[in-house]
């Protein structure tokens, strides 16, 4: 009797070892299938193609990541070169006020770009979740023309107008 229980344990261990590699290979093939789609740099999504097909997703992912890189680079340069002006303090009050105003405008622009980088990250997350290109309110397609013009768009034009009206109403309260 003890011999049969030992044999059963060995068999179950062997089955567990065989099933683990199968799941790993399936996961690898799914990843490989997604990375095989390549598009040229001159590719532009067309209305004749299926909406939000893999080509479209690759196009917008590339466009969003390039945009993010440019914004990060511009912010780093602005912060680096802007910090060098701190040492030049002028005795003239008007020059100091002008310098302060310039710095304030520059920091507001940097803050807007940081918010835009956050929106780009959210758009990239929507691409990974396969909900990019569809309105977050109505789940209708946003449209290629709108996404090409504003790749971080979350709503259709009608839903965006509704949101802006609601914001204006609540801002007045």
């Amino acid at each position: 009797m003890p011999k049969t229980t030992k044999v059963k344990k060995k068999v179950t261990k062997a089955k567990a070892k065989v099933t683990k590699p199968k799941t790993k290979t399936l996961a690898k093939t799914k990843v490989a299938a997604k990375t095989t789609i390549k598009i040229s740099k001159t590719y532009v999504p067309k209305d004749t193609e299926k909406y939000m097909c893999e080509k479209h997703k690759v196009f917008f992912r590339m466009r969003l990541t390039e945009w993010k890189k440019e914004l990060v680079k511009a912010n780093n340069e602005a912060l680096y070169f802007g910090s060098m002006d701190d040492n030049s303090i002028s005795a003239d009050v008007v020059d100091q006020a002008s310098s302060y105003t310039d710095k304030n405008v520059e920091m507001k622009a940097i803050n807007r770009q940081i918010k835009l980088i956050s929106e780009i990250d959210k758009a990239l997350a929507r691409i990974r979740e396969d909900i990019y290109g569809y309105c977050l309110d109505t789940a209708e397609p946003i449209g290629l023309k709108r996404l090409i013009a504003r790749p971080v768009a979350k709503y259709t034009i009608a839903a965006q107008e509704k949101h802006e009206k609601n914001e204006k109403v609540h801002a007045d309260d």
Side-chain angles (χ1 to χ4, degrees):
M1 281 240 182
K3 290 181 181 178
T4 56
T5 55
K6 287 182 183 177
V7 171
K8 286 182 181 177
K9 286 183 181 177
K10 288 180 183 177
V11 170
T12 56
K13 286 182 183 177
K15 287 181 181 177
K17 288 180 182 176
V18 171
T19 57
K20 285 183 182 177
K22 285 182 181 176
T23 57
K24 287 181 182 177
T25 54
L26 289 174
K28 287 180 183 177
T29 56
K30 286 181 183 177
V31 172
K34 285 188 177 180
T35 58
T36 56
I37 295 177
K38 293 183 181 180
I39 59 171
S40 69
K41 293 190 179 198
T42 59
Y43 171 78
V44 177
K46 298 173 185 75
D47 290 329
T48 57
E49 298 170 329
K50 182 182 173 194
Y51 187 73
M52 278 303 126
C53 62
E54 286 302 315
K55 279 185 172 182
H56 292 182
K57 291 176 190 174
V58 170
F59 171 79
F60 287 112
R61 186 180 308 117
M62 286 173 46
R63 189 161 182 184
L64 287 164
T65 51
E66 273 300 313
W67 193 15
K68 181 180 174 181
K69 285 178 188 177
E70 291 172 8
L71 289 172
V72 169
K73 183 180 176 184
N75 280 354
N76 289 340
E77 288 174 358
L79 289 172
Y80 176 73
F81 291 120
S83 65
M84 297 176 92
D85 292 342
D86 290 341
N87 296 334
S88 60
I89 297 174
S90 176
D92 188 14
V93 178
V94 175
D95 289 341
Q96 287 178 358
S98 176
S99 176
Y100 175 77
T101 303
D102 291 345
K103 272 246 187 267
N104 203 7
V105 168
E106 188 176 335
M107 289 309 294
K108 285 182 181 180
I110 290 172
N111 285 337
R112 276 195 303 271
Q113 288 178 345
I114 290 171
K115 288 179 184 176
L116 183 55
I117 290 170
S118 173
E119 289 297 317
I120 291 171
D121 288 336
K122 291 176 186 175
L124 290 170
R126 289 194 303 274
I127 290 174
R128 285 190 296 273
E129 296 167 4
D130 285 335
I131 57 173
Y132 180 81
Y134 295 95
C135 181
L136 297 181
D137 280 352
T138 62
E140 294 176 8
I142 293 173
L144 290 176
K145 289 181 182 179
R146 178 162 166 74
L147 288 173
I148 289 171
R150 184 77 175 158
V152 293
K154 298 182 278 188
Y155 305 109
T156 59
I157 292 174
Q160 182 69 36
E161 288 173 351
K162 181 181 172 184
H163 273 275
E164 288 173 2
K165 284 179 184 177
N166 287 340
E167 285 177 6
K168 186 177 180 182
V169 167
H170 292 298
D172 293 339
D173 291 344

